[in-house]
Amino acid sequence: MNRNGTGAIADADLEKIRARYGLLAVVISNLAIAAVAIFGVWRLGGDKAVIVGILTAAFTAVSGMTTAYLGIKAVSNTARSIALGNGAFPRHTEAAPPAPPAQRVP
């Protein structure tokens, strides 16, 4: 990790760490949901209506978790690029007001 003179982590490294652990949390959550769904289907032993309900709920939870992560990450990246002036709408510095016209001498 790159650290500056004060021992703080650089912004780019911090973003990589946040993205890595955020994605890890989503993957582990999705695996946990899948494991509970598989266990539930196994324990019910053949009731098709309840199995469909469990699998539907699991799919909804996994897709909701993944979509939320990707949406938050996209908004965060967009806000960061706009704040740094690297986005689609770069910051414009205000130009100095034009000089007043020269006065005529009669």
Side-chain angles (χ1 to χ4, degrees):
M1 285 188 257
N2 295 337
R3 294 180 182 261
N4 59 18
T6 62
I9 298 174
D11 283 342
D13 290 335
L14 184 60
E15 284 299 315
K16 286 180 185 177
I17 291 170
R18 286 180 181 166
R20 185 175 299 133
Y21 284 109
L23 183 61
L24 181 65
V26 169
V27 168
I28 289 173
S29 298
N30 288 347
L31 290 175
I33 292 168
V36 168
I38 291 169
F39 180 76
V41 168
W42 172 66
R43 293 298 293 170
L44 290 174
D47 187 6
K48 303 292 185 205
V50 177
I51 290 173
V52 168
I54 288 175
L55 292 179
T56 302
F59 178 76
T60 302
V62 167
S63 62
M65 177 86 62
T66 305
T67 303
Y69 170 73
L70 294 175
I72 291 169
K73 188 65 181 153
V75 169
S76 172
N77 289 345
T78 302
R80 184 172 185 271
S81 67
I82 289 173
L84 295 176
N86 300 332
F89 305 106
R91 290 185 178 178
H92 296 288
T93 57
E94 290 210 18
Q103 294 183 349
R104 294 185 187 178
V105 178

